[in-house]
Amino acid sequence: MNAPIDWRAEAGRISFRDKAFIGGLFVPSATGKTFDNISPLDGRVLVKIAAGDTEDIDRAVKAARAAFEAGVWADQAPKARKRVLVKLAELIQKHANELALLETLDMGKPILNARNGDVRAVAECVRWYGEAIDKLYDEIAPTPKTALALITREPLGVVGAVVPWNFPLLMAAWKFAPALAAGNSVVLKPAEQSPLSALRVAELAVEAGVPPGVFNVVPGFGESAGQALGRHMDVDALAFTGSTEVGKLFLKYSAESNMKIVSLECGGKTPNIVFADTPDLDTAARGAADGIFYNSGQVCDAASRLIVEDKIHDVFLAKVTALAKSYEPGDPLDEKTQMGAMVDATQTKRVLGFIEKGKAEGATLALGGRQVRQDTGGFFIEPTIFDRVENRMTIAREEIFGPVLPTIVFKTPEEAVKLANDSKYGLEANLWTNDLTKAHRIARSLRVGTVTINNRDGGGIEVPFGGYKQSGFGRDKSLHALDKYSQLKTTYISVG
Ligand code: NDP
């Protein structure tokens, strides 16, 4: 058996990459400016990070373009790109403890969630796209005998990726893995709160054999570095995950620059619909609790509206409330902790603001509602449940992105569907019922990208993920993600 890990001691020994990674090298920002990278565990500055801006993004895009034009990656046989990506997946797994620590220190998630959840999923994602890319065939169109029409997929060129802080490396991997597999060069801007793991993985990518310049990471602020990437005239596509508000800005940036392809994975307000005929209420209650308290509720498809049939409201809420108590926030470096910190002071204030709004609008606070562990200097909020919520209330409409669960009751399946669809978001819905016909009927009526039935899983890398409505467009994960990072070319040959 492996010896237990003293994560605190490991955290004291870890080293941070604090510069931008451009053309295969760590470089300071062009202005020499840095910003404080603060740990939400205790509010201390972990390290000062190079603050990338327009000039740094331009350097990164030039490096990416040069590598693309030289064909050092794009022109390699798919089998060769596969070998490198599989090697990168192995390196990620080899450095799993280090990468998990970087995630935990940077954004506050429990260490075992980081290692056994995020980092494992990142390695799987990179391996999956590596393994996939040499098994995809192009097409020949049905033409008269006198012609041969080839339909081939080609990489786009330079792909920009702007990602959030809730799953720093995984959200990045959902973009860079398919983009690299398809033969593109990548410029990634991580969130200002959580740049550490992406900088380390870019370095590992070069170690695995990704040629310098193919994978670049520029840390910095959204308004400067993020906007510069969105507006760059030589970026062919921009893949974004984050808030709907910022997602819309990328459409504007594209329209005002070079009409680059934009794909958006934005917010959600997942309805978790629980019918009285649910086969196992305990499993459903665990799904409801984990669905909102995992990662402190900082999850785009968090089960953030509990829509429960009125017949079982009391018994079901009692079960979820009892489970919620096991999510009391604890030290993220303690392996027993189930719920860690909020990402930063701003997000903490924002979530507490929503809790106040819930109370002010007349919802009943059934559990929690306070900031805790303030003596640590970090940012922690109790698991919080609101009862008797109406769908028109702010806490049922806005993406809170915290451990806050509003509970809404319904009487008929039609009412449940109406409540679920009454949202500007359409990322995911969860259904719990014993009646398969009802489940299928409702699943078809829900305007969301993913419906889970009698589970909260939603599937791994093999299924697409993305939203309807203002949850965005384009799909991450699965072979469909490759559509975002390649063009179709028709070559029409006369053979008659
Ligand atoms: P943002 O949408 O602001 O951030 C996501 C990414 O976009 C970050 O890399 C950010 O950079 C960048 N960005 C921010 N502003 C701009 C801009 N003007 N131009 C270009 N890029 C920009 O999310 P926040 O971190 O501010 O979180 C706010 C809320 O957004 C959350 O409470 C939650 O509701 C929602 N959100 C949703 C996520 C999801 O997965 N659906 C993920 C994260 C947040 P920087 O790091 O500098 O901010």
Side-chain angles (χ1 to χ4, degrees), residues 162-166 171 189-193 220-223 226-227 240-243 246 249-250 253 265-268 300 347 350 399-401:
V162 176
V163 296
W165 40 259
N166 53 342
M171 293 303 99
K189 194 212 79 74
E192 70 197 55
Q193 294 91 339
F221 297 110
E223 296 77 23
Q227 174 158 200
F240 171 78
T241 297
S243 63
V246 174
L249 290 178
F250 279 99
Y253 300 158
E265 200 270 273
C266 298
C300 52
Q347 188 63 13
R350 191 171 175 275
E399 188 179 41
I400 299 175
F401 236 57

Side-chain angles (χ1 to χ4, degrees), residues 6 22 57 84 100 116 168 178 197 263 284 333 342 356 370 373 382 402 411 431 446 459 463 470 487-488 493:
D6 180 345
I22 299 175
I57 289 289
V84 172
N116 303 341
S197 54
S263 58
L333 291 172
M342 305 300 298
E356 287 313 308
R370 290 170 311 162
R373 304 187 88 238
E382 294 178 300
K411 288 200 168 69
L431 283 183
L446 293 169
V463 294
Q470 291 189 45
Q487 298 265 29
L488 290 182
I493 309 164

Side-chain angles (χ1 to χ4, degrees), residues 41-59:
L41 272 59
D42 49 18
R44 90 188 150 96
V45 177
L46 282 174
V47 60
K48 288 183 179 296
I49 302 276
D53 207 330
T54 311
E55 203 179 324
D56 306 285
I57 289 289
D58 192 47
R59 278 158 64 200

Side-chain angles (χ1 to χ4, degrees), residues 75 145 172 233 263 272 321 389 422:
D75 292 352
K145 264 186 162 177
M233 293 299 287
S263 58
N272 183 21
T321 306
V389 175
D422 180 18

Side-chain angles (χ1 to χ4, degrees), residues 90-111:
E90 285 164 5
L91 285 174
I92 289 169
Q93 206 52 60
K94 183 174 157 199
H95 293 274
N97 287 351
E98 177 194 355
L99 292 167
L101 255 181
L102 292 177
E103 296 295 59
T104 292
L105 293 172
D106 225 2
M107 66 70 63
K109 68 177 64 199
I111 187 69

